[in-house]
Amino acid sequence: MGKKQAAPAERQEMSGMARLGLRVSSMINHPVAQAQRWVTIHRLDTDGDREWEEVLSVIAQTDELELTLNDDGSVTVRWEQQEVEVAGRGGEGSSLSQKKRQRLSDGHQKARAGRAHIGD
């Protein structure tokens, strides 16, 4: 007899802001960017105006990050090496990737909350 197939899991689409935030975080976390403490981010055709502006706003509001707008429309993000106390060890140089990821995540949550109130 025929086997009954399980219903395929529903695929959840990622929002434009989530996709862009993930891309920016991945670029910042890249080993080369970590070593040089800067990265240039180019806007893709798939990045919406609203999402691009929100991500730039989050970066600009992060005290530890320096944002430079380039002539070609890209942005360069720079950061200084920070001393961080790590449990069981002395201070170590650290990137700001976790702080940055949290800021992007917070910005994404605020953006989603703001859109939820539109039209209420």
Side-chain angles (χ1 to χ4, degrees), residues 1-92:
M1 301 243 143
K3 284 186 176 181
K4 198 173 195 180
Q5 290 185 346
E10 191 173 321
R11 186 174 173 190
Q12 196 170 12
E13 287 293 318
M14 200 184 254
S15 73
M17 180 66 182
R19 197 170 33 254
L20 179 56
L22 184 62
R23 182 165 62 87
V24 169
S25 290
S26 294
M27 293 175 78
I28 289 171
N29 288 325
H30 191 278
V32 173
Q34 292 294 303
Q36 62 192 17
R37 293 188 303 277
W38 65 269
V39 66
T40 298
I41 303 166
H42 296 272
R43 183 175 176 182
L44 301 179
D45 293 339
T46 56
D47 298 331
D49 293 338
R50 182 184 223 171
E51 289 83 3
W52 182 252
E53 291 302 320
E54 286 177 25
V55 167
L56 293 185
S57 175
V58 169
I59 293 170
Q61 292 173 11
T62 304
D63 293 335
E64 298 85 1
L65 301 178
E66 178 185 317
L67 181 68
T68 304
L69 302 175
N70 302 315
D71 292 339
D72 65 356
S74 66
V75 295
T76 299
V77 181
R78 297 178 191 280
W79 57 93
E80 294 296 321
Q81 187 167 349
Q82 301 291 316
E83 292 297 319
V84 177
E85 196 64 32
V86 178
R89 300 186 201 168
E92 286 186 4

Side-chain angles (χ1 to χ4, degrees), residues 58 61-63 99-108:
V58 169
Q61 292 173 11
T62 304
D63 293 335
K99 270 189 185 177
K100 180 69 190 122
R101 255 196 318 263
Q102 186 60 47
R103 277 280 178 99
L104 287 172
S105 176
D106 291 349
H108 172 63

